[in-house]
């Protein structure tokens, strides 16, 4: 029988706490600021002015872009499938941490589309798209002002073909 003295118990206890702290530091992000900070050095951020968004809406034939006030695109390039999955997992964790509502999750082959939104006083004021496919991850963080009913109508036609088209853009 092995006897463990008080000193050994203390060392084992402190080691256990240290391991938990290390695992927590490597864990998922808790909010969008942590997400952006974690991947800042690996990403390119492109702010999109409202006039560019309106042009994109006209070219794409969707009214959704008319409601977006501003957006920034956060691109992580040359990411393998494992890293892409990690980034999307962190993004979803950040959604939960800031009480975003997961609105849409679509998957087509190796491509995923996640859309989450935040409402205040019956109006949607923030929407984030997370798209991964091929070797990139694209996060579109947008500010908007639209009722939930108008947004639901604008998003009702999103399908797996849209994911394929977004994946082509990511190439």
């Amino acid at each position: 029988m092995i006897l463990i003295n008080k000193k050994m118990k203390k060392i084992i206890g402190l080691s256990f706490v240290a391991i938990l702290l290390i695992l927590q530091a490597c864990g998922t992000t808790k909010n969008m600021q942590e997400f952006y900070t974690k991947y800042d050095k690996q990403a390119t951020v492109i702010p999109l002015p409202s006039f560019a968004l309106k042009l994109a809406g006209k070219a794409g034939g969707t009214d959704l872009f008319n409601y977006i006030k501003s957006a920034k695109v956060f691109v992580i390039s040359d990411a393998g499938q494992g890293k892409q999955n990690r980034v999307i997992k962190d993004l979803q964790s950040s959604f939960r941490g800031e009480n975003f509502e997961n609105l849409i999750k679509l998957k087509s082959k190796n491509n995923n589309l996640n859309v989450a939104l935040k409402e205040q006083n019956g109006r949607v004021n923030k929407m984030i798209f997370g798209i991964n496919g091929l070797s990139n991850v694209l996060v579109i963080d947008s500010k908007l002002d639209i009722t939930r009913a108008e947004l639901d109508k604008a998003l009702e036609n999103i399908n797996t073909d849209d994911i394929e088209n977004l994946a082509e853009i990511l190439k």
Side-chain angles (χ1 to χ4, degrees):
M1 178 189 237
I2 299 175
L3 296 174
I4 299 176
N5 63 26
K6 288 182 181 180
K7 200 174 212 181
M8 285 298 287
K9 284 182 181 179
K10 189 173 184 178
I11 291 171
I12 291 170
L14 289 174
S15 298
F16 183 71
V17 169
I19 289 170
L20 286 177
L21 290 173
I22 290 169
L23 289 174
Q24 182 180 6
C26 297
T28 59
T29 56
K30 294 175 184 63
N31 58 49
M32 290 307 298
Q33 186 59 44
E34 278 186 26
F35 174 83
Y36 290 128
T37 300
K38 181 175 182 176
Y39 294 105
D40 182 49
K41 293 186 179 7
Q42 304 164 42
T44 303
V45 179
I46 306 162
L48 297 175
S50 60
F51 76 87
L53 294 164
K54 290 188 188 337
L55 288 174
K58 287 179 183 176
T62 178
D63 292 334
L64 177 61
F65 289 97
N66 293 328
Y67 299 104
I68 299 176
K69 295 179 176 183
S70 67
K72 68 179 173 184
V73 179
F74 190 82
V75 182
I76 300 174
S77 301
D78 301 323
Q81 192 63 44
K83 183 171 185 176
Q84 288 182 50
N85 291 339
R86 234 180 358 266
V87 172
I88 293 298
K89 182 179 175 185
D90 282 345
L91 183 62
Q92 290 170 341
S93 176
S94 297
F95 291 162
R96 286 188 299 276
E98 289 197 17
N99 297 318
F100 275 83
E101 178 185 341
N102 277 325
L103 187 61
I104 296 174
K105 282 186 181 181
L106 293 175
K107 184 172 182 154
S108 174
K109 296 181 185 173
N110 291 330
N111 307 311
N112 295 295
L113 170 66
N114 292 280
V115 179
L117 58 90
K118 202 175 221 184
E119 277 185 78
Q120 186 176 3
N121 299 326
R123 298 193 69 81
V124 178
N125 57 11
K126 192 152 176 96
M127 184 167 53
I128 299 178
F129 294 85
I131 305 128
N132 73 306
L134 304 174
S135 63
N136 300 310
V137 178
L138 180 71
V139 176
I140 304 170
D141 188 337
S142 58
K143 293 179 183 174
L144 58 155
D145 185 25
I146 184 173
T147 66
R148 179 62 186 265
E150 291 172 308
L151 180 63
D152 288 343
K153 186 177 178 184
L155 291 174
E156 69 186 12
N157 295 324
I158 291 180
N159 59 41
T160 55
D161 292 338
D162 297 321
I163 296 174
E164 295 300 324
N165 293 336
L166 288 169
E168 288 296 317
I169 292 169
L170 290 173
K171 281 185 179 179

